[in-house]
Amino acid sequence: MLSFSLLDAQALSPGLEQASQWQQWANGTQWPEAAQPLPATPLIPMMMARRLSAGARLAVQLGLEMLARHPIDNAIFVSRHGELARSMTLLQGLAAGKPLSPTDFSMSVHNTAAGLCSIQGKAALPISSLAAGEGGLMAGLTEAVANLHAGYKRVLLVAFEGEIPAFHHPWLSARPPYALALVLGNEVTAQGECWHCEGQGALSHSPELPQPLAFWRAHLLQQSSCLLGDGRQEWSWRRR
C-alpha cells in the first residue's frame, strides 16, 4: 500500500488561476469557453519565459512557488507528452530541409522544466523527470513515496501537459495546457491531508480525466476517494 501526507497543492491553467475558478471547474469539469492567455509567471525571468513552452512555463512557475514555500529536498516532474509541440516543430523543419533552431533543439528534452526550475530556483537537489504514458501521476506518486521511505522529508511532485499539436488530435485529446504541483510528506511525521492507495486490478471504465486532473478534482471536492487509471488498470486512492 502506498501512502503520503499532502502538505500543499496548487494548479495553473489559462483562465484557471484562482481557487474559485478551479472550484467551479471541479464542480462541472468545464474549461473556459473562450481561449484564455497564460497565467502570469512572475518568478520566471522574461527571457526564460519566452523560450519555454506553455506547459513547461506553468510547471516551472509552480515549482518555484513551492520551492519558496517549503524546504523541498527531492523533486519529480511528470509529463506524458513533455515537449511534444517543440519536437514536432523540429521534425517538420528537418522534413522541409530547414536549419534547426538551437533554442528549440536545446529545449526539446523531456527534463526541460525540471532543469530550468532547479537552475532558476538555485535548488541543488535530486530531480527526476518521468514519462509513463497515461499513468504518469501514478508513476510519480510511486517514486515520491519511495523517496519518502528513503529518508526525504518533503518531495515536490509537478505534473504538467502542454498544447497538443494539431497533427496528433486524431489520437490525443486536446486540452488547454495545465500544471499541478503537490508537496508530499511522510504521513507518520507530517501534518496534512493523508491519502492511501490500493491496486484495483483491471480497468473497469474509461478515465474521464487524465490522472493529474482526476486527483486534483477529488482534492478540490474533498472526495473521500478517487480512481486513477492508465487505460489498462486502475488504483483506488482514499483520503483519511
Side-chain angles (χ1 to χ4, degrees), residues 4-224:
F4 64 84
S5 183
L6 181 59
L7 306 177
D8 201 353
Q10 188 175 345
L12 284 176
S13 185
L16 297 172
E17 304 176 52
Q18 305 301 322
S20 59
Q21 294 172 321
W22 275 114
Q23 197 66 48
Q24 185 176 4
W25 169 86
N27 289 328
T29 62
Q30 294 296 316
W31 299 89
E33 293 183 5
Q36 301 287 327
L38 277 179
T41 53
L43 298 182
I44 306 176
M46 185 177 298
M47 291 299 293
M48 180 186 290
R50 290 176 59 185
R51 297 197 302 268
L52 285 167
S53 64
R57 184 170 173 176
L58 298 178
V60 172
Q61 172 66 26
L62 286 184
L64 293 173
E65 289 191 28
M66 293 303 185
L67 286 171
R69 297 207 296 253
H70 300 277
I72 303 296
D73 50 11
N74 181 271
I76 303 165
F77 282 69
V78 174
S79 177
R80 178 182 180 186
H81 303 296
E83 297 298 317
L84 179 61
R86 197 184 300 273
S87 298
M88 190 68 189
T89 298
L90 291 172
L91 292 173
Q92 289 172 332
L94 284 172
K98 297 179 180 179
L100 299 183
S101 161
T103 297
D104 282 343
F105 185 78
S106 65
M107 304 280 278
S108 65
V109 295
H110 199 75
N111 66 337
T112 293
L116 291 179
C117 183
S118 174
I119 292 170
Q120 182 59 28
K122 296 179 174 58
L125 48 83
I127 300 182
S128 303
S129 292
L130 303 183
E134 296 180 65
L137 183 67
M138 189 63 205
L141 289 171
T142 301
E143 179 157 339
V145 171
N147 289 341
L148 290 172
H149 283 288
Y152 293 107
K153 303 300 182 184
R154 297 288 184 274
V155 176
L156 168 64
L157 175 58
V158 180
F160 68 98
E161 296 297 341
E163 297 173 341
I164 302 298
F167 176 86
H168 296 86
H169 287 180
W171 306 280
L172 300 173
S173 299
R175 290 186 176 86
Y178 68 86
L180 169 66
L182 309 173
V183 176
L184 312 181
N186 190 313
E187 65 157 335
V188 176
T189 59
Q191 301 268 330
E193 179 182 299
C194 294
W195 287 85
H196 305 270
C197 173
E198 292 182 354
Q200 291 289 103
L203 189 69
S204 60
H205 66 288
S206 299
E208 176 187 0
L209 293 168
Q211 289 186 353
L213 295 177
F215 185 84
W216 180 233
R217 184 170 185 263
H219 167 72
L220 291 174
L221 297 179
Q222 298 186 336
Q223 293 177 344
S224 60

